Amino acid sequence: MKFKNIGYPYFLWLGIFILIPLLLVAYFAFTTGDSQNFQTFSFSIENFKRFFTPIYLNVLYKSVNLALISTVICLLIGYPLAYIISKEKPRIRNIMILLVVIPMWMNFLLRTYAWLTLLGKNGILSKALSYIGFNNVQLLYNDTTVLLGMVYNFLPFMILPIFSVLIKMDNRLLEAARDLGANKRMVFTRVVLPLSIPGVITGITMVFIPAVSTFVISSLLGGNKSTLIGNLIEQQFRYTNDWHFGSAMSIILMVFILISIALSSKFDKDKEGKGGGLW
Amino acid sequence: MVNKNLKRFYAILVFIFLYAPIIVLIIYSFNDSKLRGSWNGFTLKWYYELFKNKEALRALYYTLIIALSSSIISTVLGTFAAIGIHGMRGLNKKVILNLNYLPVLNPDIVTAVALMALFRLAHINFGLFSLLLAHITFSVPYVILSILPKLKQMNVYLAEAAMDLGATPFYSLRKIIIPQILPGIITGALLAFTLSIDDFVISFFTTGHGISNLSIYIYSMARKGINPIINALSTLMFIFMIVLLLIINYRSEKTEKLIEERR
C-alpha cells in the first residue's frame, strides 16, 4: 500500500500527547523538588518510599479491595443476565440489550448523582425506612455506598462483552454436546462457560480498571471518609501541588493495571479477542 | 414454563436496579419542592431556572463546542492514521498500535495528570485550547479502532487497480477507500462526539479557570448537595442521549440491511 505516510501526523500526535506525557509522569515520580520549578528537580525514590508506608498502602489495599468486590458482584449479576438475554427471541433480545446499553451512554456523573437523590438525607429510601421505624439512618457516605455506586456504574460494561461472546457462540457445538449425552448443566459448565471466558475477561477489565482508579464515585458517594487511590492522586495534583508524589502514585496505579491486564490476557487463549471488544 | 418466568423476573429486577435511580431523578425534576422527600405537585420551574442559569448555559456551550471540534478533528486524524496503520507491517505497526491502545487501557486519571504535566511544562494555558487537545488525544484511538476492522474487510486490490488505471493516490483514496470504510468513520465520529460530551476526569484536570463543561459543572454542584436544576439538566441530557442512541441503532440496522441485500 502506498498510504503509509498519511498516518504520520497522528504518529507525531501520539508521540507528543501520549508518549511524552507518560514519560513526564515517570520523570516527576523519580524526582523531588518544587513541582512548579523544573530547575530544582533532583533524582530520588523518596516518593515511592513514602507510598510504601502503612497509611498509603492501606488506601491502595482499600481501592483494590472495593474494585475487586464490585467486579465480582458485577460478574455474578451480569453473567446470568447476559446469558438470559442471549437466549431470548431476536425481538426481545434487541430491546433488552438496548436497555443495557442506554445507561452506558448516560453521563456517568449523572448516574452517580442519581444515587444521591435516592440515598440522601431526605431521599426516598431514608423516608421509606423512617416509615418502618428506622429514623435518621445515614445511607450515604460509607464504603458500601461507594461499592453500590461502582456496581451500578459499571454493570453494563460487564454484561455487554459477555453477551456479545454468547450470541456469537456456534449453536452446533451445544447440539453436539447434547447429542453426545451431556445434560443441561454439563453443556453449560463444559461448553458454554469455557467458550465465554474471553467475554468475561473483557468484562472484568472493563469493570476493574475504572473502579480501582475512580475518584468521582468515592468523593460523591463516600464523602470525606472514603479515600481511594484516585482521590489521593487528585489531591496531589489539584490541591497539595505535590506532583512528584502524585506522579509516583499514578505510576504505581498504571503498573498495577498493566500487570492485571497481562495476567488476564494469559487466561485468554484467543488473543485476537473474538467478540471481546465493545464496539 | 416456571423457569422462563423466573428468568424474566430476574432480568426485570436487574433492569429496575439500572433504571430506578434515573427514573426517580427524572420524576423529581418536575417536583415543586426543593426537599426531595416529598412531592409537592408538578412544575416546570426547574427547567425555567436552568435556562436562566448563565453558568449552566455556558457549560453547555463549551461542551458542544469542544465535542464538535474535537470529534471532527479526531475523525480526520484518526481516518488517515487508520489507513496509514493498515498499510504498515511488522514491529512499527505493533509499536504504533500499542501506543494507540495506551489511552484506552490506562485509567483516565493517569492520562489526565500526564496531559496536565505536559501542558504545564509546555506553557500551554489551561483553558479551552488545552481541553480541545486533551479531548482529541483520548478520542482518536477509538476512531482508529472503529475504522481498522472496516479496512481489514476492504478489497485491497480495488485501490491498486484504480491507481493502475491512472488515478492519483489521493483520488483513489477519496473515491475508493473512503467510501468503503465510511460506516466505520461515522461510527468513530459519533463515538468521539459522545466520549467528549461524557468526559469528566480528563476535562477536570486539563481545563482552566472559568472554563467548565457540563460534567464539571454537575460535579461542582453535586459536591455542594442536591440541586433540582441538575435534575432538570439530567433529564434533558438523558433524552438527548436516547435520541442519539436510537439514531445510531437505526443507522447500524440500516447498514446491516444494506449488506444483507448486497449478498
Side-chain angles (χ1 to χ4, degrees):
Chain A
M1 292 280 279
K2 293 170 177 115
F3 300 110
K4 232 189 289 182
N5 301 338
I6 62 173
Y8 283 134
Y10 178 61
F11 302 158
L12 190 69
W13 189 283
L14 268 178
I16 298 174
F17 291 101
I18 290 170
L19 192 60
I20 293 179
L22 285 176
L23 293 177
L24 272 178
V25 170
Y27 177 66
F28 270 106
F30 284 103
T31 49
T32 48
D34 177 8
S35 294
Q36 311 310 322
N37 184 357
F38 290 94
Q39 265 87 48
T40 61
F41 287 12
S42 58
F43 175 83
S44 110
I45 53 165
E46 206 46 52
N47 304 308
F48 291 95
K49 269 195 195 154
R50 187 173 154 203
F51 186 80
F52 287 103
T53 49
I55 312 171
Y56 295 111
L57 280 181
N58 264 337
V59 175
L60 181 67
Y61 170 75
K62 188 173 158 192
S63 315
V64 173
N65 198 20
L66 282 179
L68 273 180
I69 296 173
S70 64
T71 309
V72 171
I73 296 175
C74 282
L75 184 61
L76 291 179
I77 299 177
Y79 197 105
L81 187 69
Y83 186 76
I84 291 169
I85 296 177
S86 74
K87 293 283 174 232
E88 285 286 352
K89 293 184 210 84
R91 248 192 87 77
I92 298 174
R93 189 172 71 208
N94 285 344
I95 294 172
M96 283 173 119
I97 210 67
L98 190 67
L99 284 176
V100 173
V101 171
I102 287 173
M104 280 171 65
W105 285 62
M106 198 181 162
N107 191 308
F108 104 107
L109 269 170
L110 290 184
R111 277 183 277 152
T112 312
Y113 169 79
W115 280 99
L116 283 177
T117 330
L118 278 178
L119 302 174
K121 239 194 230 153
N122 296 307
I124 291 187
L125 284 180
S126 23
K127 279 255 157 141
L129 281 177
S130 71
Y131 276 121
I132 44 174
F134 297 96
N135 276 321
N136 294 323
V137 193
Q138 178 64 278
L139 293 168
L140 267 178
Y141 309 129
N142 55 54
D143 288 349
T144 320
T145 338
V146 177
L147 202 61
L148 179 75
M150 287 178 177
V151 172
Y152 180 72
N153 269 301
F154 306 131
L155 182 59
F157 294 93
M158 181 65 87
I159 299 172
L160 208 59
I162 296 176
F163 168 78
S164 61
V165 169
L166 288 175
I167 199 74
K168 279 180 202 147
M169 199 171 286
D170 193 340
N171 246 325
R172 287 171 300 180
L173 291 174
L174 311 188
E175 282 163 19
R178 260 176 253 132
D179 285 348
L180 293 170
N183 58 27
K184 260 189 170 173
R185 218 178 101 199
M186 276 162 81
V187 172
F188 182 77
T189 54
R190 306 286 281 274
V191 183
V192 177
L193 195 60
L195 283 175
S196 63
I197 291 298
V200 171
I201 287 178
T202 311
I204 289 174
T205 37
M206 293 198 62
V207 174
F208 182 75
I209 296 177
V212 77
S213 60
T214 186
F215 73 93
V216 179
I217 297 175
S218 43
S219 78
L220 285 185
L221 298 179
N224 296 328
K225 278 182 244 158
S226 206
T227 304
L228 301 183
I229 182 143
N231 300 83
L232 280 183
I233 298 176
E234 185 221 349
Q235 278 163 20
Q236 302 306 321
F237 277 89
R238 303 271 316 187
Y239 307 108
T240 331
N241 256 327
D242 187 350
W243 290 27
H244 300 282
F245 187 46
S247 296
M249 287 191 285
S250 306
I251 293 282
I252 291 167
L253 185 62
M254 204 177 124
V255 168
F256 191 84
I257 279 167
L258 291 180
I259 289 174
S260 48
I261 290 173
L263 278 181
S264 64
S265 66
K266 273 218 156 167
F267 289 104
D268 189 358
K269 289 164 214 148
D270 190 14
K271 273 245 167 90
E272 285 287 305
K274 263 188 206 164
L278 246 188
W279 292 284
Chain B
M1 243 169 40
V2 182
N3 200 4
K4 184 148 197 167
N5 284 336
L6 201 70
K7 282 177 181 168
R8 288 264 167 91
F9 179 66
Y10 177 76
I12 289 170
L13 273 186
V14 178
F15 284 130
I16 289 176
F17 172 63
L18 283 176
Y19 282 90
I22 302 173
I23 290 168
V24 169
L25 200 67
I26 291 175
I27 292 173
Y28 276 94
S29 76
F30 298 107
N31 184 9
D32 195 9
S33 152
K34 223 175 164 150
L35 295 169
R36 286 141 293 130
S38 47
W39 176 261
N40 282 11
F42 181 87
T43 178
L44 283 176
K45 81 173 172 198
W46 306 119
Y47 290 86
Y48 286 123
E49 280 199 22
L50 175 67
F51 287 111
K52 275 192 305 191
N53 187 321
K54 281 218 177 83
E55 221 182 319
L57 288 183
R58 208 179 303 131
L60 173 69
Y61 168 75
Y62 287 137
T63 305
L64 289 178
I65 292 271
I66 292 286
L68 271 177
S69 42
S70 80
S71 58
I72 290 170
I73 296 171
S74 43
T75 306
V76 174
L77 212 55
T79 305
F80 286 145
I83 296 171
I85 291 171
H86 184 67
M88 289 166 77
R89 293 282 168 272
L91 186 69
N92 281 347
K93 183 175 184 168
K94 245 191 178 159
V95 170
I96 296 278
L97 271 180
N98 277 323
L99 265 182
N100 188 52
Y101 252 120
L102 266 181
V104 180
L105 293 177
N106 246 345
D108 278 354
I109 193 166
V110 175
T111 310
V113 298
L115 283 169
M116 192 179 178
L118 175 79
F119 294 154
R120 179 64 61 86
L121 181 76
H123 295 291
I124 295 172
N125 270 336
F126 286 82
L128 217 49
F129 183 60
S130 60
L131 207 55
L132 179 65
L133 291 177
H135 279 230
I136 294 170
T137 304
F138 73 70
S139 304
V140 181
Y142 291 93
V143 175
I144 294 178
L145 290 176
S146 57
I147 293 176
L148 276 180
K150 295 280 172 240
L151 281 165
K152 268 186 203 152
Q153 291 165 12
M154 188 180 73
N155 186 342
V156 201
Y157 301 112
L158 279 179
E160 282 176 17
M163 283 187 271
D164 282 348
L165 293 169
T168 61
F170 179 69
Y171 189 81
S172 75
L173 183 72
R174 202 160 53 96
K175 289 287 181 182
I176 310 284
I177 296 180
I178 301 277
Q180 287 196 71
I181 57 172
L182 196 60
I185 297 176
I186 294 174
T187 313
L190 287 171
L191 206 54
F193 186 75
T194 44
L195 280 172
S196 169
I197 285 193
D198 239 20
D199 178 68
F200 167 72
V201 176
I202 296 175
S203 309
F204 185 62
F205 283 92
T206 53
T207 188
H209 191 71
I211 310 276
S212 45
N213 61 10
L214 279 178
S215 298
I216 298 173
Y217 176 70
I218 294 167
Y219 181 73
S220 59
M221 297 298 277
R223 292 227 57 178
K224 284 178 213 150
I226 305 289
N227 186 331
I229 293 178
I230 306 184
N231 296 356
L233 181 63
S234 319
T235 308
L236 294 179
M237 284 173 80
F238 184 63
I239 292 167
F240 177 74
M241 273 298 166
I242 286 195
V243 171
L244 202 65
L245 197 63
L246 288 178
I247 292 172
I248 293 171
N249 221 40
Y250 173 73
R251 258 188 47 79
S252 61
E253 265 172 33
K254 219 172 70 178
T255 44
E256 268 167 33
K257 259 186 213 153
L258 267 177
I259 293 164
E260 292 278 304
E261 277 166 18
R262 277 192 197 159
R263 276 187 194 147

